[in-house]
Amino acid sequence: MIKSTSAHKEYTVNLDERPYSIFLGRGVVSSMVIEVLKNKTANKDIVILFDANFAEEIDDILRLQLIQEGYNIYLYPMEAGKQNKTINQAIKIYELLETNNLSRDSTVIAVGGGVIGDLAGFVASTYLRGMNLIHVPTTITAMIDSSIGGKVAINFRKTINAIGSYYHPILSIIDMDFIKTLGIRDLRAGLAEIFKCAIIADKELFEYLKTKSESVFRRDEEVLLWIMSRAIEIKLNHVSGDVQERGKRLKLNYGHTIGHAIEVSTSVLEEVYRHGEGVALGMVGAAYIARKNFSQNSEILDLHEEVLRLYGLPIRVDAPAIGFDRMSLIDDCMINVQKDKKRKDNKLRFILPRDIGKCEVYSDISETMIREAFEYLIRGDK
Ligand SMILES: NC(=O)c1ccc[n+]([C@@H]2O[C@H](COP(=O)([O-])OP(=O)(O)OC[C@H]3O[C@@H](n4cnc5c(N)ncnc54)[C@H](O)[C@@H]3O)[C@@H](O)[C@H]2O)c1
C-alpha cells in the first residue's frame, strides 16, 4: 500500500507476519523513530550503529531527542566500505550488546549506507535470535535497495554477503536530506541500482533517466523522489511473495554475478569499486552476453554503455590503472565468479536482458562465454 503527499510517501510492507513502514520524507528521522518505538516496544535500550562520517551530526539526527524521551543510547560509530562488513565488526557489536545487557526487545538503529545497514541487520537478526531493527539509510544504494527486502549479511574472505539471513526492520526511514551530502561517486553508485531496476522491469524509468541526468546531478528533489519511488516499488514487487529468492527476486541480482567477481578480485588491500560501480560493470558484462546469445538484441549493449557513461559510471576496467595485470585479473574473476550465491546444481545463474524492461534467468551460460565477457570488460596492455 502507498500513501503519498507532495511532502512524503509511505509504503506499508507485508513481507512477513510483522508489517512495517518505509517512509520517504525529510527531517523526520527522530520523530518517526520515537513514534514507532513507543508503539512497538517498552524497552528503552538502543544501540545506534552509525557511519563515522556522521559523528558530528548524530546528536542532532537522533541521540538528543531519544535521550529526552528517556531512552538509553549506546553509540557505535564505524567506518563504511565493504572491507568493514566483517565478522570482527559484528563481534565488537555483540560485545557492546552483551556488556550492556541489551535484550530481544531492545533496538538496533542503523544510520548509514549499505555496509552499516547490512551489518546492523546481521547483528540484530542473530543476537538473542533477533532484536528490533530500524534502518535509517543514508546512501541511495541503501535507500532503494539494501534497506528493503530483509537481506542482511557480512562478507567472509572472498565471498560477498557469505554469512547472513533474511530479517526485516520495524521501520525504515528515508530522509532525502542525506542525499545532499553524498559525494558524487556515491550518488552515481546508487544510480547504478536504479538503472538495474529500470533495465529489468521498467522501460519508462530507463527513458526518463536518459533525459534527466542534469536534474539528477543537481539533486532536484522532485526528480529524485520520482526515480527512487519507482525503484522502491520495483524492489518491493520483486521481493513480495519471494523473500527467499527462489523466483522473481533473483532478477534483482542483475549485474551482480560479474559485478561481485570484479569487486572481490580488485579489493585486495582496499575497496577499488563501490558496490554500485561493480553492478554497473556487471550489467555491461551481462548485456555483452545477452548480445552474443540473442543476436536479435544487438542494441542492448550500446544502450547500457550510452546511459551508464552519461551518468559517469564505469563501463570498463582499466587493469593497469588500478594496479593489476589484465590476464591475472581475468583469471581471478573467473575463480571468484564461481562463488556466486545464486549457483544451483553447480551452475551459475545469470540474469540477462531480452530488452530494456525485460529480463530472464539463464543457467546455461558457458565458461567460455563468461570469460569472454570479462575479457570484454577488463582492458589493459595485453
Ligand atoms: N542487503 C541488500 O539487499 C543489499 C543490496 C544492495 C547493496 N548491499 C550492500 O550494500 C553495500 C554498499 O552500500 P553503499 O554503497 O551504501 O556502501 P557504504 O555504506 O560503504 O557507503 C558508501 C560511502 O558513502 C558514505 N556515505 C554514506 N552516507 C553518506 C551521506 N549521506 N553523505 C556523505 N557520505 C555518505 C560512506 O561513508 C561511504 O564512504 C555493499 O556491502 C552491498 O553488498 C546490500
Side-chain angles (χ1 to χ4, degrees), residues 5 60 103 114 156 185 188 195 218 224 254 264 274 302 350 352 366 375-376:
T5 69
D60 291 338
S103 57
F156 185 64
R185 191 173 171 196
R188 289 176 167 142
F195 276 114
R218 223 184 328 113
L224 284 174
Y254 180 52
V264 165
R274 295 280 200 267
D302 298 342
F350 273 86
L352 300 181
S366 69
E375 285 171 354
Y376 177 75

Side-chain angles (χ1 to χ4, degrees), residues 59-323:
D59 274 1
D60 291 338
I61 297 171
L62 261 180
R63 194 176 79 101
L64 295 180
Q65 299 87 329
L66 287 169
I67 288 174
Q68 253 175 23
E69 294 288 328
Y71 289 95
N72 310 313
I73 306 299
Y74 303 91
L75 291 180
Y76 189 90
M78 63 169 280
E79 296 296 321
K82 61 174 85 68
Q83 66 282 8
N84 293 312
K85 217 172 86 175
T86 60
I87 193 73
N88 291 339
Q89 281 290 349
I91 289 170
K92 287 186 195 156
I93 306 162
Y94 292 142
E95 284 168 358
L96 175 72
L97 297 172
E98 203 267 348
T99 305
N100 294 292
N101 211 15
L102 270 78
S103 57
R104 277 183 171 171
D105 55 355
S106 309
T107 304
V108 174
I109 304 181
V111 182
V115 165
I116 312 294
D118 278 13
L119 177 66
F122 175 77
V123 167
S125 77
T126 45
Y127 193 71
L128 305 178
R129 297 205 185 88
M131 303 170 65
N132 294 321
L133 170 68
I134 292 179
H135 281 300
V136 182
T138 63
T139 60
I140 291 187
T141 302
M143 290 173 178
I144 57 107
D145 199 356
S146 63
S147 68
I148 303 172
K151 280 189 186 176
V152 296
I154 52 171
N155 301 327
F156 185 64
R157 300 175 68 174
K158 291 273 180 187
T159 303
I160 290 188
N161 299 327
I163 311 174
S165 62
Y166 297 95
Y167 197 69
H168 301 287
I170 56 172
L171 171 70
S172 185
I173 308 172
I174 299 171
D175 190 326
M176 302 293 286
D177 275 347
F178 283 114
I179 296 176
K180 288 185 196 153
T181 57
L182 264 188
I184 185 75
R185 191 173 171 196
D186 290 299
L187 179 74
R188 289 176 167 142
L191 291 164
E193 295 281 12
I194 299 184
F195 276 114
K196 175 197 77 181
C197 292
I199 294 165
I200 63 168
D202 192 341
K203 195 169 184 161
E204 190 190 352
L205 175 58
F206 188 84
E207 295 301 329
Y208 184 82
L209 285 164
K210 264 167 73 178
T211 63
K212 291 289 180 194
S213 60
E214 201 218 314
S215 316
V216 168
F217 287 124
R218 223 184 328 113
R219 304 178 200 220
D220 178 309
E221 188 163 308
E222 205 179 312
V223 171
L224 284 174
L225 201 58
W226 193 85
I227 62 173
M228 288 171 62
S229 304
R230 291 290 275 244
I232 290 170
E233 283 151 28
I234 291 166
K235 172 112 194 197
L236 286 172
N237 179 29
H238 281 74
V239 173
S240 81
D242 185 26
V243 169
Q244 307 249 340
E245 201 168 86
R246 299 203 168 94
K248 63 182 175 175
R249 184 172 185 170
L250 275 171
K251 294 183 179 179
L252 292 168
N253 291 293
Y254 180 52
H256 284 60
T257 309
I258 286 179
H260 275 169
I262 294 175
E263 275 186 73
V264 165
S265 306
T266 52
S267 294
V268 177
L269 293 175
E270 55 183 25
E271 179 178 276
V272 171
Y273 290 109
R274 295 280 200 267
H275 174 71
E277 293 168 339
V279 171
L281 289 161
M283 290 192 290
V284 173
Y288 176 86
I289 297 175
R291 186 178 73 176
K292 284 275 176 161
N293 272 20
F294 326 123
S295 52
Q296 79 275 19
N297 213 344
S298 57
E299 229 202 333
I300 200 94
L301 179 60
D302 298 342
L303 278 171
H304 275 68
E305 294 190 353
E306 182 192 318
V307 80
L308 294 173
R309 198 184 286 118
L310 177 68
Y311 277 84
L313 281 157
I315 56 173
R316 295 287 186 285
V317 176
D318 181 346
I322 55 167

